[in-house]
């Protein structure tokens, strides 16, 4: 696992993306709005300046971000 510090705005983007994906997975009546929101969030994540700043912030850093946000969400659910 990488030892990376992610900017707070990037963490919030990933949380929002995960939330939109979960909502869409619940098969809403009108999924178009959620699909558009998910696409916007994925695009913002992909082009975030953090991943453009320097070498070594490629797929492994993206995977770690996803894993950390998922772990945080799991912890939040257990403490609620």
């Amino acid at each position: 696992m990488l030892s990376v510090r992610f900017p707070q705005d990037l963490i919030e983007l990933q949380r929002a993306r995960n939330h939109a994906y979960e909502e869409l997975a619940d098969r809403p009546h009108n999924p178009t709005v959620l699909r558009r929101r998910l696409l916007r969030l994925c695009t913002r994540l992909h082009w975030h300046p953090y991943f453009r700043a320097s070498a070594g912030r490629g797929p492994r850093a993206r995977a770690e971000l996803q894993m950390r946000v998922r772990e945080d969400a799991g912890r939040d659910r257990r403490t609620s």
Side-chain angles (χ1 to χ4, degrees), residues 38-78:
L38 183 60
L39 181 59
R40 262 193 319 274
L41 290 166
C42 289
T43 301
R44 289 178 59 198
L45 276 166
H46 181 78
W47 293 106
H48 192 279
Y50 177 82
F51 294 115
R52 302 285 168 235
S54 67
R57 292 185 179 170
R60 285 179 45 191
R62 291 176 192 276
E64 183 167 348
L65 173 65
Q66 292 172 358
M67 185 177 62
R68 282 191 195 175
V69 169
R70 264 190 246 120
E71 287 173 356
D72 289 347
R75 258 184 256 127
D76 290 346
R77 282 188 207 119
R78 286 191 298 269

Side-chain angles (χ1 to χ4, degrees), residues 5-20:
R5 294 194 64 169
F6 295 106
Q8 190 62 35
D9 68 319
L10 186 58
I11 292 169
E12 293 301 323
L13 265 175
Q14 184 65 48
R15 281 184 187 143
R17 182 245 173 239
N18 290 358
H19 183 71

